[in-house]
Amino acid sequence: MGIPLSPRTARVIDLESMRQRQQAHRRFVRLSPELDSLEMVYCLASDPDTLYGMPILAWGLRENGDIVGLVPWMESLTPCEQLNDPDYGHFVGYRDPETEELLDEPPEHKEMELRHAAAYFEYEDTDETTLIQTLPEHQGTHALCMDEEQSPWQLKQVFGWRLYSDGSIEALLADESLIQSVPVVATDPCLYPGHSRHRVVYFFQRQIANLIRDEDPATLEALAMMVMPDSDNSAQ
């Protein structure tokens, strides 16, 4: 026996449009710097019983109301909740080093701050991508920039972060030839978004950047394995 047909007209679902709407609801609309030393806690698959802490750079409010911590991780300012890699780290929660309390959710005072700021600085949607907010860098984050495969690496200091209307976040790097005064601040015209000039941008905390600058052998070896994981296979 056949299946009876529905009298209702079939509705075509545009999956791409649905995906774009879902992404839009998750885009960031406001950032807030973390200035009280709260940390992201993560673990490694190789040693799940040991917890590691990393300073949170900022908090981000998504259009759907979600609030997440953000850390400079690999190639982007990454939401902590997205860290789920067996080699590099799996997100566990947030930590207040003063009280040593482990938190499952962002602190309430950051939620209040972000929601009030987003309501005050409300922007109208436009067809073109526009600059929403500039956040000064306060942790000494550095970026390892690579262009062509044979070009040397460039280790650059990050001076700030820009949030755009499409929800993307870009690191601000300095064009040394255009620096007119020091110290460089996040609004100086010598700064440019990292991915606008460099094919690959990897972020590191200050202490790791110093080891790279000092050409520490172990650090350089680990760095080569991270940024060129397929080099050994391609050489065979």
Side-chain angles (χ1 to χ4, degrees):
M1 179 181 294
I3 301 175
L5 298 177
S6 171
R8 292 179 296 179
T9 304
R11 183 166 61 93
V12 177
I13 299 176
D14 188 339
L15 295 179
E16 178 62 21
S17 297
M18 183 181 297
R19 183 183 66 83
Q20 291 178 357
R21 286 197 297 270
Q22 290 176 343
Q23 288 182 340
H25 290 158
R26 290 178 58 80
R27 69 183 176 183
F28 288 107
V29 296
R30 190 72 188 173
L31 302 178
S32 172
E34 171 50 48
L35 302 176
D36 296 304
S37 303
L38 268 66
E39 299 175 339
M40 171 192 75
V41 178
Y42 66 99
C43 65
L44 303 177
S46 58
D47 187 11
D49 294 329
T50 301
L51 299 180
Y52 300 88
M54 181 177 183
I56 294 172
L57 178 78
W59 300 89
L61 171 66
R62 298 186 188 274
E63 186 174 315
N64 64 4
D66 290 346
I67 294 175
V68 295
L70 299 166
V71 293
W73 190 273
M74 302 296 284
E75 297 184 63
S76 64
L77 188 60
T78 304
C80 298
E81 62 181 18
Q82 292 184 9
L83 270 60
N84 188 17
D85 188 286
D87 294 324
Y88 298 114
H90 173 74
F91 174 63
V92 175
Y94 304 111
R95 176 178 178 268
D96 185 340
E98 184 173 342
T99 63
E100 298 188 353
E101 181 182 6
L102 192 62
L103 309 171
D104 294 328
E105 301 289 339
E108 184 178 352
H109 69 278
K110 279 298 176 183
E111 294 189 19
M112 296 177 60
E113 175 187 343
L114 280 163
R115 297 189 195 285
H116 282 289
Y120 183 84
F121 296 101
E122 187 175 2
Y123 294 90
E124 295 182 1
D125 288 334
T126 59
D127 293 333
E128 296 183 357
T129 301
T130 57
L131 177 63
I132 296 296
Q133 186 182 5
T134 299
L135 203 69
E137 163 60 44
H138 62 279
Q139 290 185 350
T141 304
H142 281 64
L144 190 70
C145 307
M146 293 181 287
D147 300 320
E148 301 302 324
E149 292 187 1
Q150 302 302 321
S151 300
W153 300 341
Q154 302 177 60
L155 186 62
K156 288 176 166 285
Q157 181 177 347
V158 176
F159 290 95
W161 304 86
R162 283 179 181 170
L163 171 64
Y164 293 92
S165 57
D166 62 358
S168 62
I169 304 173
E170 276 282 2
L172 293 176
L173 310 177
D175 184 331
E176 288 79 4
S177 65
L178 299 179
I179 295 178
Q180 297 180 346
S181 60
V182 292
V184 175
V185 297
T187 55
D188 284 357
C190 64
L191 299 179
Y192 63 91
H195 287 99
S196 68
R197 294 194 187 182
H198 305 293
R199 181 175 60 89
V200 178
V201 180
Y202 282 95
F203 297 111
F204 297 94
Q205 291 182 288
R206 181 176 55 182
Q207 60 268 34
I208 302 299
N210 287 332
L211 291 174
I212 296 173
R213 186 178 289 110
D214 294 338
E215 299 184 357
D216 175 70
T219 303
L220 293 181
E221 181 180 357
L223 178 64
M225 294 178 62
M226 184 186 71
V227 301
M228 295 182 294
D230 299 325
S231 58
D232 292 339
N233 295 332
S234 62
Q236 297 178 353

